[in-house]
């Protein structure tokens, strides 16, 4: 079966695709791995933690930190 893509994951995909035109984009929902953390107690959402792997020509010549800042900036309203 195909994995279910929720609205947050779809939004992440759309924003990164629009701004970075990636040659590869993987979004992995790791929310289940964080359910036991104290701040997550009582949270019903299954879309709280994602790992994102992006390959894009727009990253050429930038440091890893600058790449992270760019991604965080694209998703700032959701964090």
């Amino acid at each position: 079966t195909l994995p279910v893509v929720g609205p947050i994951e779809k939004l992440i995909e759309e924003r990164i695709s629009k701004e970075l035109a990636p040659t590869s984009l993987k979004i992995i929902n790791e929310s289940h791995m964080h359910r036991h953390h104290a701040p997550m107690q009582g949270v019903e959402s299954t879309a709280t933690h994602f790992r994102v792997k992006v390959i894009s020509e727009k990253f050429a010549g930038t440091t890893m930190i600058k790449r992270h800042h760019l991604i965080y900036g694209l998703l700032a309203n959701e964090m």
Side-chain angles (χ1 to χ4, degrees):
T1 61
L2 293 174
V4 175
V5 176
I8 301 294
E9 188 172 347
K10 186 69 174 160
L11 184 139
I12 293 169
E13 178 183 13
E14 289 170 356
R15 292 231 178 112
I16 292 174
S17 294
K18 179 182 176 186
E19 296 297 324
L20 300 177
T23 55
S24 177
L25 174 60
K26 291 184 182 177
I27 303 167
I28 302 112
N29 187 337
E30 294 185 342
S31 301
H32 66 283
M33 297 167 58
H34 299 270
R35 287 201 158 282
H36 66 281
H37 297 170
M40 302 312 304
Q41 298 309 303
V43 174
E44 305 264 334
S45 176
T46 58
T48 58
H49 291 78
F50 292 89
R51 177 180 305 270
V52 178
K53 297 181 181 183
V54 184
I55 299 174
S56 172
E57 290 294 321
K58 294 194 179 185
F59 287 149
T62 64
T63 65
M64 181 79 69
I65 298 241
K66 287 188 180 192
R67 294 173 192 184
H68 284 195
H69 285 172
L70 180 57
I71 297 292
Y72 290 145
L74 293 174
L75 304 173
N77 291 336
E78 284 66 45
M79 296 177 87

